[in-house]
Every structure is written in C-alpha cells, then in structure tokens.
C-alpha cells in the first residue's frame, strides 16, 4: 500500500519554491543542478527547473527516472498490444492503482512499475461513502432493538486541574510598533493579557521565545525563523477577486486603510474609517457586505477594547453556543464534511486489518465525524474491529455533560450496526492539560473484553484544534510529545489553510480579509442537490455559519495574547512543526481525492469548490484559493525510541 | 504494428535535454492513463496529477498574480499576471493591483493554455511559469483564461470563454494605455490555446474589435487526411496520431469529422478570411511536431487571404520546448515573441 518515505522539505509556505524565472542566462541544453535558493541540506541537487514546475527529481536521479519512464512505456505498450489493437491507453493502471504524491516522480513511477510487474490480488473495494449516514449524523438513529444487556461503556473523566509541572507563558501582544514593524522582546507598554489561571506562573517572556512565535509567518524581515531555511521567500498571498465591482474594491481599500491606521495607533483615524466602512458596506450587496461588517465590528472592538472580559463576552464564549454554530457551519458548506471524510479515509487505511482500534478525537463536539467511520468499519470486508473512542471537550458552563451525551448516541449507533464500541470522554480546558497515560489507560470493567495479546492501533484526530495551542508558548510541543507517547499509527490533522498568526497586525488583517472573503463567497455558492434542508432552513444554516466565521474574524482581528486562539497557519508551516516534533507525512492518495471530489459534487452547489493535492495532503478551496487542508502523519522512524 | 506502439525513446532523447525529456514523457504517461478508449476522461485523476500553484499578490521576480472571476454563471476564472505595482507596502492592495502598470502603451496578452482542449488549467505550474515570463519579457499584463475543457465541455465552449475574456478585458479601464486610452490586446496560446486564439481573433475581426496581434505556439490544427509530417513523425516525439484523433473527437461536436472548421480553418468547410480585418500573426512551428504540416498550411492560408504572418520554424524543436528555459529554441522564440509584441504595440 503506502510506501515508507521520507519527505524532504524545502521549508514553509506551500509545496515548492518557484525557481528564478528571470534567469535568462541559465544553463542551456543540459540538466541544471544550479545553486539552491536557500533550501535545506537534504534538498540538495534537486533539479531546479523541474522543481519550479512542481516536480521533485534529484539531478543525480534524472537518468534513473528517465529509465523508469521508458520501462513503463514498454510495459504499457506490450500490455495494450496484448489487449486489443487500438487500445493505446491502459485504464486499469488508472482505476486500480492508488496514486500518491505525483510530485515525487521517482517513487510514483516505482509504484506503477511494481503494479505492472507483479499484478497484486484484487484490491478490496474502497470503503463506501455512506451518504445516508452523513445526512443523519446529528440525529443518531437509535434502534429500538433488544434491551442493552450490559451498560454501554461510557465514562467521563472529571475536569482536570491544569498541572503546575510546566511553565506556560502567554504570548505577548505585539508592542506599539514604529512603522508597522513588530518589536520583539518584552516591552513594558505591551498589553499582556493573562487569564486568571496563569496568574500563578511567571510573567516574564524571554525575547527568544517571543521572537520564535512571531516569526513563524515566513516573511523574511530579518526575524529568526524556527527550523529549516534561513532566507525564506516572502509568504505567498493568494488573491481571488470575486467581486470586481468598483464599490467592492473601494470597500476593501477602506478596510485596509483602517487596519493600517490601527497598526499605527492612529485610533481617531481608525474610528472615522470604521464609520466610513459601514456606510460603504451598506451600499454593497452579497458576501462582501457581510465580510466588511464583521471586519469593521472586529476593528471597532479592538479600538474600544474592554478589559477584563465582560459578562457578555463570557456568556458569548460558551462551548454550547460554539457547538451550535459549528453544527450550522457543518450543514451550510462542505468544509467540515471534507475534513471528516478525508481524515476518516486516512484512519480507515491505517486501521486496515487491525482487530482493535482506538480513536482519540481532540475536539469531540457533537461527534459529527464518527457515524461515518462506524459505518465504514462495520462494512469492512474483514468485518469491523472493536473500536474505542476517546473524546475530548471543554468544560461546559451549564455543567451539562455534553461529552457523555454524544458518547451515548454513538454507542447506540454502534450497537445497531454491530460494532463493538467503547467510549470515554475527557473534559479539559486545553489539550495541553492531558497526559498520554490518561488516554491510554483503560477502565477496569473492560478486562474481560481484551483480546489475547492483540495490540491496539491508535489514531489521533484533530480537526481545527491544534492552532489554538499556539496561543501559549510550549503548549503545542507538549501536546505533540503526548501524541508521540501514545504511539499512534496515524495522526490526522485538519486546519484552516491560512496564515493568521504571523507578521504584523496589518499582515494578519490582510490575510484574514482575503481568506474570509473567499469563505463567505463560497457560502453563497453552497447548497447542493443532496441538501435535505429546504430553502429557508438553508438560509438559517448560512446565517449561523456566517456568525460562526464572524467569531473567528473577531478573534483574529480584535484579540491578542492568550485570548487570540484562532492562530491559523498554513500547511507549509504545519509540515515544519510536525516534522520537528518527530512525525513524517503519510500521504493521502488519489482514491481519497477522487472520493472527496465526488462527495463535493453531492453536497456543494456550483462548481466553485476545488479539491487539490499538494505534497500528499488534500485541500478544499473556493475557486483557486485553498481554505482547509487535511494532512496525515506517522511517527517517524527517527523518533521511535 | 502501428507506429504509435513503437518505442522511440532514443530518438526523442537525443533532441531535448534530459530534464525536458523527463517532463514531457511524464505528461505523456499521465495523459495516456487519463484517456479512455470509450472517449471518456478521468477528470478526477487528471486534477489529482496536475501540479498547480496558487496566485500570488506578493511580487516574485517583479511579477504578481491574482485570480478574477470574470464570468460567474460559467465560473470562468482568469489569472491575471502583471508587473508588481510600485507601492510602499510589500503586499499590494487590491486597488494597486487594479491600476495600470504604466501610462505608456503596454500590451495585454490574453493567453490560452495548451493541453489539447482537455488538460491543464490557468493555475497549472507549467503555465503559471510561462505567463510570468511573458510579463517580464513584454512588460505586459497577461490574462490566462481558465476555459472549459473537453470532453466535459465540447466545441464551442472554449471559444465562448475566450470571447468572454476578450469582452471582459475590453471593459476594464485599467487595461487601457497610451494617449488614446486604448486596449492593446494580443491573443496568444500554445497547442489548443493557439487554436482558440485563432478562433477568438476571427470572431473579433467579424465583430470589429481590434486585436493587435496573435501569437500561436505549436498551435493545434488538423484535418481528415493524414499529412506527410503526421505519417513521418507518428509516435516519434512524444505525440501520436492516435492521441490527436482522441482529443479532436473529444472536443468537436458529436458526429463531426476533422474537417470541421474548428479543427481545419482553411479546409473545405473553412471560413473565408479575405476582406476581414483579421489581425497579424506570429506562428511558431516546431520541426519535430507531427502536426506541423497543418500549422504550415494555416500560415499559408493566412497569407493567401492577405493577412500578415511571421513564420518561425524551429527545425529540431519538439512540442513543449517553451516549458523549460534550457535550450536555444526557448530563448530565441521568446525573443521573437518580444519583438512581435513590441513592434505591434501601436
């Protein structure tokens, strides 16, 4: 199936560097193995010209790769000749083979050669997309079957106390900057938003730790970047203009001017511009109006920041409300469905032929991801494994046990489809509060269910949870160490595909404006034939989804420090982080891509949604702008102790 | 056995650099997997395999790009490439992107990517690279049209999208330049893109829209009969008669043959160009391209109809020579394009 394969990375910011296109005096007629553009050591000797076109081939391997191409051609030609006279194509190679990472030519060609030379036994059919289950995810068809003979094994662990064993430092807000540049280090004037729980801890922030935080953007402004390359090219800003009206452009211009004023601490000008924006936005229609509204409100909040958080703020911060909006976001557009689908695909493949499996979900919420996985496991040709699900969720303000409720519903579903299922919920304010031993240990009453000596395969699943950890120095690293300790077979990570965590306020604002403009525009386009909701219900979903995104916008724009939890980063940045933490990529293949594309056709209205493959990861975007990225990871050989 | 089944790796390997050979052979292999004998196309696998790049408003080598939805009902996107605006901030504002790069006359090149009507997109890496080069080369704004492809969308969709792009460009004030505030537009394309450029130029001539020039790079034309070059070069340099036939069948209307005017503009069903204000053309032909006889016939047809043609014939060039900047063919043809655009920037 998948090959163990070490990725060589060229640093953040996307799949590959663009080679110097203006180099008119470059080598002619021969393979170029020119000077690298500040790439890593293990990247040496990659053919630069091919790299610019998206193909990674080492110059030293070029002849080898050429030979493989020839071999494949011979093999295909002879098979075609044997098949029929006028068949110049070999459809089997396309339909049966699962392709991975087409950028890595050598490995891709190898996989096809081995397919052709030693035809494998017929592959098991890919897990069917249980469309009906997707529909009913939040209804949890409870079968009124025979009475439960034994209590479903659901336990919820009481809220954990944050351990004092480690030192968490909140990320300081950027200092009042001159010329819009962030000044690193401790600035007595900078606002340090410290939540009560951190008051016991030291409040100092060493310059080195804060510089590593802010420099993650990839903008080469002389700031030190963690890990790999030194001279990174400036971060790419993908812009998709969907509204070319004059008024739309003026609105964006006003928003940018406002953000610039905020950055320069010219609050009077900023305030005037906020009002101007409201006027402009009123004459707009469509998504741009709403986006402008949210951004203007967020700026206003930033200007008139109230500290500490008011009662209203705290009420609005309830996880229950968040889950509600999240549910509507799930319904109104395909992003979360894509996330769940692609992550489940990777988990299923990792679990193939395992009899005991354990899924740890870093953000259980309403458990929307899991009915489909349950169904797919139930339908496995080799029969379902016994599944243990650990769900993690935040404390609920009204003391309701939402985590337990979800577990119950899933247990009912599992029982109705014949999957042996155990569930456990963990309440934690932060993932960093967890310890690996907690996640791994089992309850006493499971003793009689253990299979003899069969190891449990573990999957760790994180859908839009990791970025929150970046609000506290060291939190992500701690969590990733914990994940390593759990010895997972697969780690699935889904994140917003954007850099909302680096550079200056203005940089962040610009990025967010482009990102959420595309997002909101895509909400208008969503719907799809398979949506069972009527027109009115769809509109309600959309309104709530917009509110869901609006809260994110507010957090990105108005908040700083520990409060700013929507610290989205790009696939390139996450790749770096995962690699440093001891993980290697597990590629998502053409089968996942195909099925995701087909699912999209079912659920999404309009052709604006695009699935793309980049370096073994899958992204879903609106037109040419990727908005959400799914990646899968394994513990790297080097990290195995 | 048909010529298409012979392996002629040795011949093609001798005329291109090794990395070019690898690139084009890789495309050939991938494309073979995507075309099904029944005429259907594995679109999902095609999109999976295609290497794409995002637009980038941050200047790279003095060029920025951004995507624009130019026709919402058809989801018609175009990628705009332009010289980086001279502003203080590193990331250009949207207003900067929509400002003319200069008040002096500058060319607007509407580019149609190749792919035999079925493959590639405006955000394919190979075409992103080429369009960026055109910006630097000609000081141009390049509009790369993401036209609808076959077999999902047959004739005349690609031409309609090309026409929509031309109309869109005509309506953008920032694309006008010079004292007469005129749109100085060129139509350019490689392979199927060259074919599209011709047909859009034809429609422009029929509609009275002025086009400054056409640039056709290894344009895709054909016809029912088998020309000498097709028979001689079948299967020798990456391309076969069989695959050409498949793509025409995929693009042309059901039941049409290759003498359809889309495929064979100077054939028995062709439109007469005499008397029409058809634009000037730069026609580039690769001497190892099996459809060169059709391309040469095209250039001839334009001449006979009284229209200006500059023919550039590169004897030892294969298809795709313009994808990598590693041969004389590449640099000299780029120079020709630069001169043609420059001298027709009236």
């Amino acid at each position: 199936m998948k090959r163990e394969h070490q990725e060589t990375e060229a640093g953040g910011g996307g799949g590959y560097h663009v080679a110097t296109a203006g180099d008119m005096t470059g080598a002619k007629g021969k393979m170029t193995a020119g000077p690298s553009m500040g790439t890593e050591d293990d990247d040496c000797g990659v053919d630069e010209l091919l790299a610019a076109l998206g193909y990674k081939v080492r110059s030293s391997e070029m002849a080898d790769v050429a030979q493989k191409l020839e071999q494949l051609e011979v093999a295909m030609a002879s098979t075609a000749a044997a098949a029929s006279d006028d068949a110049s194509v070999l459809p089997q190679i396309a339909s049966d083979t699962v392709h991975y990472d087409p950028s890595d030519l050598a490995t891709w060609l190898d996989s096809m050669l081995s397919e052709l030379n030693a035809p494998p036994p017929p592959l098991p059919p890919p897990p069917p997309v249980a469309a009906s289950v997707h529909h009913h995810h939040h209804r949890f068809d409870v079968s009124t079957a025979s009475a439960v003979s034994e209590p479903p094994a659901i336990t919820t662990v009481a809220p954990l106390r944050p351990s004092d064993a480690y030192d968490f430092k909140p990320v300081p807000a950027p200092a009042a900057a001159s010329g819009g540049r962030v000044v690193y280090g401790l600035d007595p004037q900078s606002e340090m938003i410290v939540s009560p729980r951190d008051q016991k801890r030291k409040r100092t922030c060493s310059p080195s730790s804060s510089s590593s935080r802010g420099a993650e953007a990839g903008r080469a402004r002389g700031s030190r970047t963690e890990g790999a390359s030194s001279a990174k090219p400036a971060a790419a800003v993908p812009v998709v203009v969907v509204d070319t009206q004059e008024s739309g452009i003026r609105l964006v211009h006003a928003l940018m001017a406002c953000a610039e004023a905020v950055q320069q601490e010219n609050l009077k000008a900023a305030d005037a511009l906020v009002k101007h924006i409201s006027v402009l936005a009123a004459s707009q229609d469509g998504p741009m109006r709403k986006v402008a509204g949210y951004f203007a409100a967020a700026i206003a909040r930033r200007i008139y920041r109230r500290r500490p958080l008011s009662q209203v703020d705290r009420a609005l911060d309830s996880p229950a409300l968040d889950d509600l909006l999240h549910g509507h976001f799930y319904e109104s557009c395909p992003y979360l469905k894509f996330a769940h689908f692609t992550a489940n695909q990777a988990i299923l493949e990792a679990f193939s032929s395992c009899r005991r499996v354990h899924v740890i979900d870093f953000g259980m919420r309403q458990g929307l991801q899991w009915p489909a996985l349950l169904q797919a496991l139930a339908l496995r040709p080799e029969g379902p494994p016994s599944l243990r699900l650990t769900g993690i969720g935040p404390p609920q303000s009204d003391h309701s046990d939402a985590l337990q409720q979800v577990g119950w519903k899933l247990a009912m579903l599992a029982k109705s489809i014949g999957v042996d299922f155990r569930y456990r919920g963990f309440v934690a304010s932060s993932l960093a509060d967890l310890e690996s031993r907690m996640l791994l240990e089992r309850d006493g009453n499971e003793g009689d269910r253990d299979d003899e000596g069969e190891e449990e395969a573990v999957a760790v699943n994180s859908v839009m949870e990791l970025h929150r950890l970046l609000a506290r120095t060291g939190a992500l690293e701690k969590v990733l160490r914990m994940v390593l300790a759990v010895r997972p077979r697969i780690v699935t990570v889904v994140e917003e595909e954007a850099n909302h965590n680096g550079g200056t306020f203005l940089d962040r604002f610009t990025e967010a404006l482009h990102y959420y403009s595309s997002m909101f525009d895509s909400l208008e386009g969503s719907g799809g034939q398979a949506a069972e909701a009527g027109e009115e219900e769809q509109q309600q979903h959309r309104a709530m989804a917009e509110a869901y995104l609006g809260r994110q916008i507010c957090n990105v724009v108005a908040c700083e420090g520990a409060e700013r939890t929507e610290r989205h980063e790009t696939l390139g940045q996450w790749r770096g982080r995962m690699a440093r933490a001891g993980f290697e990529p597990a590629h998502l293949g053409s089968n996942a891509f195909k099925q995701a594309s087909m699912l999209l056709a079912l659920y999404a209205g309009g052709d604006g949604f695009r699935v793309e493959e980049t370096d073994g990861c899958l992204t879903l975007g609106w037109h040419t702008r990727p908005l959400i990225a799914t990646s899968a990871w394994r513990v790297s050989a080097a990290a195995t102790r | 056995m048909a010529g298409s089944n012979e392996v002629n790796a040795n011949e093609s390997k001798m005329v291109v650099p090794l990395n070019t050979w690898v690139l084009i052979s890789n495309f050939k292999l991938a494309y073979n997997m995507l075309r099904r004998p029944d005429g259907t196309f594995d679109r999902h696998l095609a999109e999976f395999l295609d290497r794409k790049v995002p637009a980038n408003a941050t200047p790279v080598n003095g060029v920025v790009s951004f995507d624009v939805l130019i026709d919402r009902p058809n989801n018609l996107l175009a990628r705009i490439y332009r010289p980086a605006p001279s502003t203080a901030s590193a990331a250009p504002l949207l207003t900067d992107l929509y400002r003319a790069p200069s008040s002096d006359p500058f060319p607007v090149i509407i580019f149609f990517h190749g792919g035999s009507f079925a493959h590639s997109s405006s955000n394919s890496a190979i075409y992103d690279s080429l369009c960026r080069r055109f910006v630097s080369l000609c000081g141009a704004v390049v509009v790369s049209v993401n036209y609808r492809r076959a077999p999902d969308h047959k004739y005349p969709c690609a031409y309609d999208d090309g026409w929509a792009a031309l109309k869109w460009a005509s309506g953008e004030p920032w694309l006008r330049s010079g004292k007469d505030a005129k749109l100085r537009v060129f139509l350019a394309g490689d392979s199927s893109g060259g074919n599209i450029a011709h047909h859009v130029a034809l429609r422009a001539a029929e509609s009275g829209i002025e086009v400054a020039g056409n640039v056709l790079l290894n344009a895709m034309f054909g016809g029912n009969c088998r020309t000498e070059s097709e028979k001689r070069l079948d299967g020798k340099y990456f391309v076969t008669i069989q695959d050409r036939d498949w793509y025409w069948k995929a693009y042309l209307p059901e039941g049409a043959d290759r003498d359809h005017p889309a495929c064979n503009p100077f054939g028995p069903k062709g439109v007469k160009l005499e008397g029409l204000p058809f634009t000037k053309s730069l026609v580039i032909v690769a001497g190892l391209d099996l459809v060169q006889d059709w391309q040469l016939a095209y250039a001839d047809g334009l001449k006979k109809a009284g229209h200006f043609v500059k023919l550039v014939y590169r004897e030892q060039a294969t298809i795709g020579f313009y994808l990598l900047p590693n041969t004389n063919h590449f640099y000299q043809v780029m120079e020709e394009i630069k001169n043609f655009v420059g001298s027709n920037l009236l």
Side-chain angles (χ1 to χ4, degrees):
Chain A
M1 285 229 304
K2 272 182 250 174
R3 308 164 307 282
E4 306 298 309
H5 163 68
Q6 277 288 355
E7 274 288 323
T8 55
E9 285 299 327
Y16 42 81
H17 287 303
V18 177
T20 326
D23 181 19
M24 297 289 276
T25 58
K28 298 186 234 175
K30 294 288 174 288
M31 303 185 294
T32 49
S36 312
M37 273 175 41
T39 52
E40 282 184 82
D41 282 348
D42 14 9
D43 221 9
C44 65
V46 164
D47 184 289
E48 268 209 359
L49 294 188
L50 291 185
L53 303 184
Y55 296 102
K56 295 175 287 202
V57 183
R58 273 189 266 269
S59 306
S60 54
E61 278 186 333
M62 195 68 66
D64 235 15
V65 168
Q67 195 179 38
K68 292 192 224 272
L69 280 161
E70 283 177 89
Q71 284 177 286
L72 267 167
E73 172 148 19
V74 170
M76 279 170 68
S78 58
T79 322
S84 101
D85 264 6
D86 59 1
S88 67
V89 299
L90 200 61
Q92 289 99 298
I93 261 281
S95 56
D96 284 0
T97 312
V98 178
H99 302 268
Y100 295 96
D101 194 14
S103 288
D104 181 359
L105 274 188
T107 321
W108 182 55
L109 294 170
D110 273 338
S111 70
M112 286 192 288
L113 276 169
S114 54
E115 288 273 344
L116 273 175
N117 294 336
L123 296 168
V129 179
S132 59
V133 179
H134 276 278
H135 275 173
H136 298 291
H137 61 268
H138 62 303
R139 281 166 217 187
F140 290 111
D141 285 357
V142 177
S143 67
T144 52
S146 51
V148 179
S149 52
E150 48 198 34
I154 303 169
T155 56
T156 305
V157 179
L160 298 167
R161 291 191 184 285
S163 154
D164 285 341
Y166 42 82
D167 208 357
F168 272 167
K169 304 164 190 128
V171 177
S178 50
R181 297 290 175 265
V182 176
V183 175
Y184 297 113
L186 190 63
D187 183 332
Q189 290 166 336
S190 70
E191 298 132 26
M192 298 259 285
I193 298 165
V194 179
S195 67
R197 135 176 140 77
D198 289 310
Q199 275 160 8
K200 296 184 243 181
R201 309 192 210 293
K202 292 188 273 192
R203 288 192 59 190
T204 52
C205 275
S206 64
S208 55
S209 66
S210 51
S211 68
S212 71
R213 181 65 48 236
E216 216 61 43
R219 271 200 189 278
R221 302 218 196 213
S223 51
R224 217 168 0 103
T225 57
E226 258 175 45
S229 14
S230 44
K232 274 195 216 167
V237 179
V239 176
V240 182
V241 182
V242 290
D243 179 3
T244 50
Q245 292 173 77
E246 185 65 37
S247 54
I249 294 170
R250 267 189 285 130
L251 187 51
V252 170
H253 186 53
L255 281 162
M256 296 299 303
C258 190
E260 190 142 22
V262 168
Q263 170 140 304
Q264 283 156 7
E265 297 274 306
N266 187 350
L267 299 184
K268 239 183 169 173
D271 185 44
L273 279 162
V274 168
K275 296 185 167 71
H276 180 53
I277 288 164
S278 309
V279 171
L280 281 179
S283 63
Q284 245 340 67
D285 58 12
M288 208 47 223
R289 176 204 195 129
K290 296 171 195 169
V291 171
Y294 281 113
F295 273 88
I299 289 194
R301 228 181 122 96
R302 188 184 179 92
I303 297 171
Y304 299 109
R305 200 183 339 234
R306 297 184 301 279
R307 256 177 306 108
L309 291 174
S310 72
Q311 288 282 68
V312 178
D313 290 336
R314 279 187 226 281
L316 288 175
D317 216 15
S318 87
L321 177 62
D322 197 49
D323 279 355
L324 177 75
L325 295 178
H326 179 90
H328 285 285
F329 181 66
Y330 182 96
E331 286 296 337
S332 66
C333 50
Y335 300 105
L336 288 180
K337 294 175 190 114
F338 170 84
H340 295 168
F341 179 79
T342 47
N344 283 348
Q345 203 41 49
I347 294 172
L348 270 163
E349 284 183 32
F351 280 173
S352 113
S353 73
C354 298
R355 302 297 321 160
R356 284 173 61 233
V357 302
H358 180 191
V359 175
I360 301 171
D361 188 1
F362 275 176
M364 193 63 190
R365 291 179 182 267
Q366 300 298 307
L368 300 176
Q369 184 170 348
W370 307 118
L373 184 70
L374 278 166
Q375 285 280 7
L377 288 172
L379 294 168
R380 281 198 326 184
E382 68 262 44
S386 37
L387 168 67
R388 182 153 81 102
L389 179 62
T390 300
I392 295 150
Q396 296 284 335
S397 43
D398 61 350
H399 306 293
S400 69
D401 204 342
L403 219 41
Q404 179 130 356
Q405 297 287 336
V406 172
W408 266 103
K409 290 177 183 164
L410 288 170
M412 291 300 119
L413 173 63
K415 189 166 172 62
S416 73
I417 59 177
V419 177
D420 180 48
F421 178 79
R422 275 154 288 178
Y423 175 83
R424 183 200 238 167
F426 275 99
V427 176
S429 314
S430 165
L431 290 171
D433 296 341
L434 301 166
E435 303 280 336
S436 56
R437 54 172 179 78
M438 300 169 191
L439 299 175
L440 287 175
E441 77 189 359
R442 301 151 203 273
D443 290 342
N445 64 355
E446 288 172 26
D448 54 326
R449 289 203 228 171
D450 278 352
D451 294 340
E452 311 293 317
E454 252 224 67
E455 232 190 87
E456 189 182 64
V458 181
V460 175
N461 181 80
S462 166
V463 176
M464 278 122 96
E465 293 291 339
L466 291 187
H467 64 260
R468 297 178 206 288
L469 297 169
L470 299 176
R472 288 175 190 283
T473 315
L476 175 73
E477 288 75 13
K478 177 175 193 274
V479 169
L480 292 179
R481 275 198 303 276
M482 174 189 70
V483 174
L484 269 180
V486 153
R487 325 233 13 90
R489 202 171 271 245
I490 193 94
V491 180
T492 46
V493 175
V494 184
E495 284 289 330
E496 290 91 341
E497 179 61 6
N499 184 359
H500 295 152
N501 193 31
T504 63
F505 169 74
L506 187 56
D507 293 335
R508 198 165 83 231
F509 186 91
T510 312
E511 283 265 352
L513 188 56
H514 290 312
Y515 179 84
Y516 288 102
S517 295
S518 282
M519 257 293 178
F520 272 73
D521 197 57
S522 75
L523 286 181
E524 304 274 311
S526 291
Q529 316 98 291
E532 34 170 49
E535 181 61 38
E536 209 182 288
E537 209 183 316
Q538 272 298 103
Q539 292 212 17
Q540 193 199 23
H541 287 315
R542 193 197 307 162
M544 301 289 218
E546 287 165 1
Y548 175 80
L549 295 171
R551 280 153 66 88
Q552 287 184 4
I553 292 170
C554 191
N555 188 278
V556 172
V557 171
C559 298
E560 289 297 344
E563 222 180 41
R564 177 155 62 88
T565 52
E566 298 296 343
R567 292 180 181 259
H568 311 141
E569 289 194 345
T570 63
L571 203 45
Q573 291 167 292
W574 286 112
R575 279 199 199 104
R577 292 183 183 284
M578 294 300 284
R580 283 191 295 278
F583 295 93
E584 64 179 26
H587 292 143
L588 294 158
S590 57
N591 54 346
F593 181 96
K594 228 177 247 213
Q595 285 165 23
S597 302
M598 292 183 334
L599 186 76
L600 221 57
L602 274 182
Y603 280 94
D607 302 318
F609 290 100
R610 311 263 189 102
V611 180
E612 279 182 21
E613 185 278 346
T614 131
D615 276 345
C617 306
L618 296 184
T619 64
L620 175 62
W622 180 243
H623 297 301
T624 51
R625 170 67 209 251
L627 294 171
I628 187 169
T630 301
S631 58
W633 305 87
R634 280 188 289 259
V635 177
S636 72
T640 318
R641 274 168 251 129
Chain B
M1 196 187 265
S4 56
N5 284 339
E6 287 170 41
V7 176
N8 292 286
N10 287 333
E11 290 191 45
S12 55
K13 258 187 178 174
M14 295 199 309
V15 294
V16 293
L18 190 57
N19 54 357
T20 302
W21 191 90
V22 163
L23 180 73
I24 303 181
S25 301
N26 175 56
F27 284 140
K28 179 174 130 186
L29 174 73
Y31 293 178
N32 282 345
M33 293 193 291
L34 301 172
R35 297 189 305 270
R36 300 199 194 99
D38 64 356
T40 59
F41 189 76
D42 193 341
R43 180 58 66 194
H44 293 308
L45 187 58
E47 293 308 300
F48 177 81
L49 293 175
D50 190 25
R51 308 290 80 203
K52 299 183 200 281
V53 285
N56 191 356
T58 303
V60 175
N61 296 319
V63 180
V64 299
S65 65
F66 58 102
D67 291 332
V68 181
L69 192 65
I70 64 181
D71 182 37
R72 201 180 259 271
N74 281 330
N75 269 314
L76 182 62
L77 272 179
R79 179 161 290 182
I80 318 290
Y81 301 84
R82 51 156 299 153
S86 48
T87 53
S89 58
L93 303 175
L94 209 52
T95 39
D96 298 321
L97 295 175
Y98 271 81
R99 201 173 291 133
S102 93
S103 52
D104 292 331
F106 64 88
V108 176
I109 301 175
I110 300 183
F111 178 76
F112 306 103
H113 66 80
S116 309
F117 292 104
H119 299 280
S120 296
S121 307
S122 57
N123 61 343
S124 294
I126 47 173
Y127 290 113
D128 186 86
S129 189
L130 186 60
C131 288
R132 283 172 173 274
R133 188 166 292 268
F134 286 155
V135 174
S136 309
L137 194 67
C138 308
V141 173
V142 177
V143 179
S144 181
V145 184
N146 200 44
Y147 58 88
R148 283 168 292 168
R149 296 162 303 185
D152 336 27
H153 300 103
K154 285 171 159 300
Y155 165 95
C157 291
Y159 301 159
D160 288 345
D161 290 349
W163 179 245
L166 181 56
K167 299 289 291 195
W168 173 83
S170 311
E172 293 291 300
W174 66 285
L175 292 179
R176 294 165 183 274
S177 56
K179 295 198 191 84
D180 47 354
K182 201 171 74 161
L183 173 72
R184 293 156 152 83
V185 65
F186 292 79
L187 303 174
D190 70 308
S191 165
S192 51
N195 178 293
I196 297 170
H198 165 78
H199 287 284
V200 175
L202 178 56
R203 194 159 164 187
E206 289 165 344
S207 315
I209 291 188
E210 189 187 345
V211 173
N214 265 15
V215 178
L216 270 61
L217 251 175
N218 296 12
M220 187 170 157
F221 293 114
N224 281 348
C225 71
R226 303 300 190 195
T227 58
E228 184 274 337
S229 67
E230 283 168 303
K231 289 187 272 199
R232 173 170 49 93
L233 297 170
D234 186 16
K236 291 203 160 64
Y237 298 98
F238 311 109
V239 187
T240 65
I241 292 178
Q242 198 163 46
D243 69 61
R244 295 298 98 201
D245 286 354
W246 190 99
Y247 290 115
W248 282 120
K249 193 151 192 289
Y251 178 65
L252 295 171
E254 207 66 52
D257 63 21
R258 288 186 305 275
D259 278 343
H260 186 285
C263 177
N264 194 356
F266 289 106
K269 301 183 196 149
V271 172
K272 294 279 174 268
L273 290 196
E274 284 87 342
L276 279 177
F278 193 84
T279 187
K280 300 185 174 145
S281 301
L282 172 66
V283 177
I284 299 144
V285 180
L288 299 177
D289 185 345
L290 87 175
V291 301
Q292 64 186 270
D293 282 354
W294 293 110
Q295 296 159 347
L296 294 168
Y298 172 79
D300 219 40
L302 284 179
K303 256 185 244 165
K304 289 206 174 81
H307 298 297
F308 176 91
V309 177
K310 167 131 200 229
L311 177 67
V312 172
Y313 185 85
R314 304 294 308 188
E315 210 175 285
Q316 285 289 94
T318 64
I319 54 142
F321 72 85
Y322 45 84
L323 296 178
L324 290 179
N326 58 0
T327 57
N328 286 330
H329 299 303
F330 180 91
Y331 290 106
Q332 287 169 13
V333 166
M334 287 300 141
E335 208 48 39
E336 294 278 2
I337 293 173
K338 176 180 175 180
N339 293 337
F340 178 77
V341 170
S343 53
N344 286 300
L345 194 63
L346 309 148

